Amino acid sequence: MGSGATSVYDVVHDVVAEAAGEELPVVTGLARLDEAAVVRRLGTPGERREPLGFGLGEVVVLVTPVVWLVLDQTAKQIAGSVADGASRQTKALLRKVFRRGRGERAVMPALTRQQLAEVRQRILEAAAQRGLPADRAETIADAVVARLVLVEPPSEDGAE
């Protein structure tokens, strides 16, 4: 990833540090895995009964999966929709921005107001599905949106 790019991991880390500091060791442990493995491990609640494998015993992890899964899905959807309508030159730039080799992280693009509102709603829905209280879900959703507002759009000149 080039300088200035914000990864899904960066956003998750910052939001969890602010809203659920007790889960930060889980986020740090997940950083060692590739994106696909993280998404598999955090998958739907109830499907996975074994621990995440970081020696944390019975730590209840609620916020990390909500934030990571929603942001991962959002980044993939935006990358796909932008690439579908892009010119050949723009597609080449997008491949460069969204390319993920071994050890690289999914890039979180800058979002419009409408996209931010959609992410906020998805966070609220995912938090409710995981059993988080409404006030806690609101706090997490607000923290996610506040962090996403800070994501810089990629430069148009193609420089990294």
Side-chain angles (χ1 to χ4, degrees):
M1 249 182 329
S3 62
T6 301
S7 70
V8 168
Y9 170 81
D10 294 334
V11 177
V12 172
H13 181 276
D14 293 351
V15 169
V16 169
E18 178 183 333
E22 69 280 4
E23 293 183 25
L24 208 47
V26 173
V27 174
T28 303
L30 290 170
R32 295 180 283 194
L33 304 174
D34 66 36
E35 297 289 329
V38 170
V39 170
R40 276 193 311 275
R41 290 208 179 198
L42 295 178
T44 17
E47 288 182 5
R48 186 171 240 347
R49 290 286 181 225
E50 68 268 17
L52 289 171
F54 307 124
L56 296 175
E58 296 301 316
V59 171
V60 177
V61 180
L62 297 173
V63 175
T64 302
V66 166
V67 176
W68 202 312
L69 295 172
V70 168
L71 293 179
D72 180 73
Q73 179 185 32
T74 300
K76 287 176 184 171
Q77 285 176 338
I78 291 171
S81 66
V82 170
D84 287 345
S87 69
R88 187 182 309 170
Q89 183 179 17
T90 305
K91 283 183 182 181
L93 175 62
L94 287 171
R95 275 194 299 276
K96 186 176 184 182
V97 171
F98 291 106
R99 169 183 67 220
R100 289 186 280 170
R102 191 172 187 94
E104 292 185 46
R105 301 246 171 245
V107 173
M108 194 69 231
L111 304 178
T112 65
R113 283 182 191 259
Q114 181 180 350
Q115 290 167 328
L116 289 168
E118 290 171 11
V119 168
R120 186 176 193 285
Q121 186 58 41
R122 287 182 189 169
I123 294 286
L124 292 172
E125 290 167 3
Q129 288 174 353
R130 296 227 176 216
L132 286 164
D135 60 337
R136 180 98 163 112
E138 291 277 341
T139 300
I140 295 161
D142 290 345
V144 169
V145 170
R147 178 59 179 86
L148 289 174
V149 167
L150 301 176
V151 174
E152 294 286 331
S155 63
E156 291 184 25
D157 64 3
E160 289 190 70

